Amino acid sequence: EGKSKINSKPSLSKRISIRARLTVTMVIMASLLAGVSFLGLNGIIESNKSLERAYRNELEPTAIFGRVVTLMSENRAQALQAIQHDESNPVSKTHDHSIFQHTDKMAKNKAEIDDQIARLVSHNYGSEIDDLIARFMEARTEFVEVGLQPARKALLDGNFVEANRLLIANTNPAYEKAA
């Protein structure tokens, strides 16, 4: 009959002190917390980058188009208000400012529109939006060259009937195409 040896040596888990076990557990937990935090922070950073790209490619051009169309509409309104300065119109006496208030505002708006369009064309938004920009620029060029500038010149020359005709025949239809 063989005698089996009795293992009198305690197991490793019993030989390690509670303090050491707690320290190892805390190090493991801290490492896991740091790893999960890193992954979460990285996800937030990537999400922010994605939102920034979406804004730049989708919403920014929309905001610029909106501003440009608003300024174009204001230019039409300024031209109509300038027509009221015709001395043969009884309403002209209610104006306590010169026609230049309107024509200068039209020029200022045109300059801002030019700046906004320069912002639009300086970015590559993708073929779909770039095509939309190209079509809009054609319509806007017609609005300015065929409608707004000739009407503004007629206003500055004091030819209110011609300015009115140009607004009705050229500016308004060109605006409808662009807007």
Side-chain angles (χ1 to χ4, degrees):
E1 289 177 55
K3 293 186 177 181
S4 63
K5 284 186 173 181
I6 297 176
N7 187 2
S8 62
K9 196 175 186 183
S11 68
L12 180 63
S13 63
K14 291 186 180 184
R15 284 185 287 165
I16 298 174
S17 70
I18 292 175
R19 181 179 186 171
R21 284 188 237 168
L22 285 174
T23 302
V24 168
T25 302
M26 293 305 284
V27 168
I28 291 171
M29 294 301 281
S31 298
L32 287 172
L33 181 62
V36 169
S37 297
F38 174 76
L39 290 174
L41 188 58
N42 191 41
I44 290 170
I45 290 169
E46 288 301 316
S47 175
N48 285 345
K49 287 179 183 177
S50 177
L51 285 172
E52 178 66 28
R53 279 191 303 272
Y55 170 77
R56 195 173 305 118
N57 291 334
E58 303 294 332
L59 296 178
E60 185 179 49
T62 302
I64 292 172
F65 276 124
R67 179 68 181 148
V68 167
V69 170
T70 297
L71 291 169
M72 290 171 61
S73 176
E74 185 177 339
N75 274 347
R76 283 188 342 166
Q78 290 295 330
L80 290 170
Q81 290 173 347
I83 288 174
Q84 293 176 358
H85 284 268
D86 183 358
E87 291 181 9
S88 67
N89 183 350
V91 176
S92 70
K93 292 164 185 44
T94 64
H95 289 269
D96 59 353
H97 55 269
S98 76
I99 192 171
F100 298 113
Q101 178 175 330
H102 304 291
T103 56
D104 290 350
K105 182 67 175 172
M106 291 165 67
K108 182 180 172 191
N109 287 348
K110 181 188 175 300
E112 184 180 342
I113 290 169
D114 291 342
D115 290 344
Q116 294 290 333
I117 288 178
R119 278 182 57 205
L120 261 179
V121 298
S122 69
H123 290 81
N124 182 11
Y125 295 107
S127 63
E128 185 178 329
I129 292 180
D130 289 343
D131 291 344
L132 181 65
I133 291 169
R135 287 194 319 269
F136 176 77
M137 287 181 57
E138 286 177 25
R140 191 262 173 166
T141 299
E142 180 182 343
F143 171 78
V144 171
E145 292 178 2
V146 176
L148 194 64
Q149 285 180 337
R152 184 175 181 270
K153 183 180 180 328
L155 289 166
L156 289 170
D157 291 343
N159 191 345
F160 297 100
V161 172
E162 178 63 8
N164 196 28
R165 186 195 70 74
L166 288 167
L167 280 171
I168 292 169
N170 299 349
T171 307
N172 290 342
Y175 174 82
E176 294 302 321
K177 279 186 194 175

